[in-house]
Amino acid sequence: MALRVVIVGMGHRGRDWVREVRSSTDFELVGCVEIDQQTTKAAANNLNIPAANCFNDLDQALDQAKAQAVIIATSSPQHAQACESALSRRLGVLVEKPFTLDLNEAVKIVSYAEKQQTPILVAQNYRYMRSFRTVKKLVREGALGGVGMIVCQYYRPPHDMAPSLAEMQHSILWGVGVHHLDALRHILGKEVTSVTAESFTLPWGHLPDGASLRVLLSFEGGTRALYTATYESSGHEFFERGQEFYARFVGQSATLHVFQRWLVLCRKGKLPRLVRRGRRDETEEQVLLRQLKGAILDGETPEVSGRDNLKTMAILEACVRSATERRSINPQELLH
C-alpha cells in the first residue's frame, strides 16, 4: 500500500516534489500546504491538484489527510516549525536543504526525531547526480590514487536568485554551497577538520552581503579543498541556464576534471579520456523517496539521515562563523 504524503510549500521545489510523488507507486499525494493563496491557486491549476487536497494550515492538513509522511519544501526559516509539527505526530519527514539555518536548532530537531523514533531525512540530492556519483566511484576505486587537493568553482547570474533567498545573508552558502560542500564530504567519505571562509559581495553587486563566497577546507587525512561560488557572475546567462560549475580533483596518480556534465580523467603518462556518467534510471528525488520509504516501513538508516546531515550543517555553521569572526573554525568542535 502506498504511503500517504503531504507536501508543505508550493513554490518551485514543492511543485517538483508533487510531480515526483505522483510518479512513484510507493507514495500517494494526499495534501499540499501553502499559506499564500495565490501560490496555492497557481499550483492547483498547473498541477491539477483537487481543492480538497489544498490546505493553508499544516496541522489541519496532517490531521485531515491522515498522512504517514511529510515533505517540507518551504523557505528555509520555516523548516524547523514544520519538522516539529510532523515529528510530534510521528510522521516520517523529508526536509529540503538546508536542514535549518542554525546548527543548534538542527541538533534539537534530530534529537526530537530520535526520541520519537521517527525518521527524518534531508534532501541532499546533489549526492545522487550522475557526475558526483561517478566522481565518488572513481575515488572509491582508487582511480586517482590518494586525493590531495580539490578546487571547485560555481557561477550564477544575480537575476536567477529566488526572492526569498535574495533577502538572506550568506545567500550563496544556503542556496547552493550547501549542496556542493555536502557532496565533497560524501565523495571523499571524510570529515572536514578546518574551515576558513570569506563571505562578501562584489564591488558592483546589489545583493545582501554573502552573495559570493570563498572557502578553504581541510579534510581528515590532509586533503585540502578550495571552494568559490557567486550569484554575481554575468555574461553566461544563456549557457546551461546561467549555471557554470567546474571541479578539479588532484590525485597521486591522476587528475579528474569535472565541467558541468563532462568528466575528463588525466592519468600520468596517458592521454586524457572522457568518463561516462552512466545511465540515469531514476531521478535524484526518487532515490530520496526510496530511502524515506525504507526508513518508515523497514526501519532502515537512510544515507541522508538528519543525524548524518548534522556534519554538513556543522560545515555551514563553520563557514558563517569563520566569515564573521575572521578565523579558522573546526566543524567537529561545533558538533561536540
Side-chain angles (χ1 to χ4, degrees):
M1 182 178 294
L3 290 167
R4 298 168 63 84
V5 63
V6 165
I7 299 175
V8 190
M10 284 292 103
H12 172 75
R13 193 60 178 148
R15 298 182 194 190
D16 285 344
W17 279 114
V18 169
R19 299 182 187 96
E20 292 292 340
V21 167
R22 284 178 167 174
S23 66
S24 171
T25 58
D26 294 325
F27 290 86
E28 176 189 359
L29 181 64
V30 295
C32 297
V33 182
E34 173 58 56
I35 59 174
D36 183 84
Q37 293 184 355
Q38 292 299 321
T39 303
T40 301
K41 184 177 180 180
N45 290 337
N46 293 337
L47 299 170
N48 296 318
I49 302 172
N53 286 0
C54 296
F55 301 86
N56 57 21
D57 180 78
L58 175 57
D59 292 324
Q60 181 186 18
L62 297 182
D63 292 337
Q64 291 188 16
K66 298 180 181 179
Q68 297 166 280
V70 179
I71 297 175
I72 299 170
T74 61
S75 59
S76 303
Q78 299 170 339
H79 285 179
Q81 184 177 356
C83 284
E84 290 171 357
S85 294
L87 292 172
S88 68
R89 294 168 169 79
R90 295 192 170 179
L91 305 178
V93 173
L94 174 59
V95 58
E96 271 293 338
K97 64 80 201 169
F99 188 175
T100 73
L101 300 179
D102 179 79
L103 176 60
N104 289 332
E105 189 173 54
V107 169
K108 290 178 182 178
I109 294 172
V110 170
S111 298
Y112 183 46
E114 293 173 346
K115 179 182 177 181
Q116 294 289 88
Q117 297 183 321
T118 304
I120 183 167
L121 290 71
V122 183
Q124 294 286 177
N125 61 299
Y126 272 40
R127 291 185 177 193
Y128 306 112
M129 288 183 170
R130 285 184 291 168
S131 293
F132 288 126
R133 284 195 324 229
T134 305
V135 174
K136 182 175 176 63
K137 180 175 182 289
L138 291 171
V139 170
R140 184 177 64 246
E141 293 176 348
L144 281 67
V147 177
M149 183 174 71
I150 303 170
V151 177
C152 288
Q153 301 170 341
Y154 178 82
Y155 306 95
R156 197 164 182 171
H159 70 267
D160 207 25
M161 185 187 291
S164 60
L165 189 60
E167 297 174 357
M168 297 171 59
Q169 281 194 325
H170 311 293
S171 55
I172 191 68
L173 178 66
W174 301 120
V176 74
V178 53
H179 277 307
H180 295 142
L181 296 174
D182 176 79
L184 289 179
R185 183 174 75 83
H186 183 63
I187 286 169
L188 293 178
K190 298 178 180 180
E191 301 305 334
V192 175
T193 57
S194 177
V195 170
T196 304
E198 182 183 10
S199 181
F200 56 97
T201 301
L202 296 180
W204 57 83
H206 61 275
L207 297 171
D209 190 36
S212 296
L213 176 70
R214 180 172 60 185
V215 185
L216 179 63
L217 306 159
S218 296
F219 289 83
E220 295 170 328
T223 303
R224 301 289 195 275
L226 176 63
Y227 175 72
T228 59
T230 183
Y231 270 117
E232 301 177 287
S233 178
S234 300
H236 55 95
E237 289 85 348
F238 302 106
F239 174 79
E240 292 290 304
R241 295 183 299 173
Q243 297 192 66
E244 187 176 332
F245 176 80
Y246 170 75
R248 177 193 293 247
F249 295 81
V250 181
Q252 188 176 7
S253 57
T255 294
L256 178 66
H257 301 266
V258 182
F259 180 65
Q260 302 294 103
R261 67 182 71 88
W262 298 280
L263 286 77
V264 179
L265 181 63
C266 302
R267 287 196 172 102
K268 287 184 178 179
K270 296 185 178 181
L271 292 174
R273 71 174 180 89
L274 286 172
V275 179
R276 293 183 179 276
R277 298 177 299 160
R279 294 175 53 185
R280 188 176 188 248
D281 295 322
E282 59 182 349
T283 66
E284 295 80 20
E285 288 74 20
Q286 292 299 322
V287 175
L288 296 170
L289 288 175
R290 181 157 36 83
Q291 292 188 36
L292 179 61
K293 175 192 174 185
I296 293 174
L297 296 183
D298 303 318
E300 297 175 357
T301 300
E303 197 172 41
V304 293
S305 69
R307 173 61 61 182
D308 174 79
N309 198 252
L310 292 181
K311 299 173 184 177
T312 296
M313 281 297 305
I315 299 173
L316 303 178
E317 180 95 356
C319 286
V320 173
R321 292 196 186 190
S322 176
T324 303
E325 301 171 15
R326 299 184 181 278
R327 65 183 181 92
S328 297
I329 302 290
N330 183 348
Q332 306 311 312
E333 293 179 357
L334 299 181
L335 284 171
H336 297 306

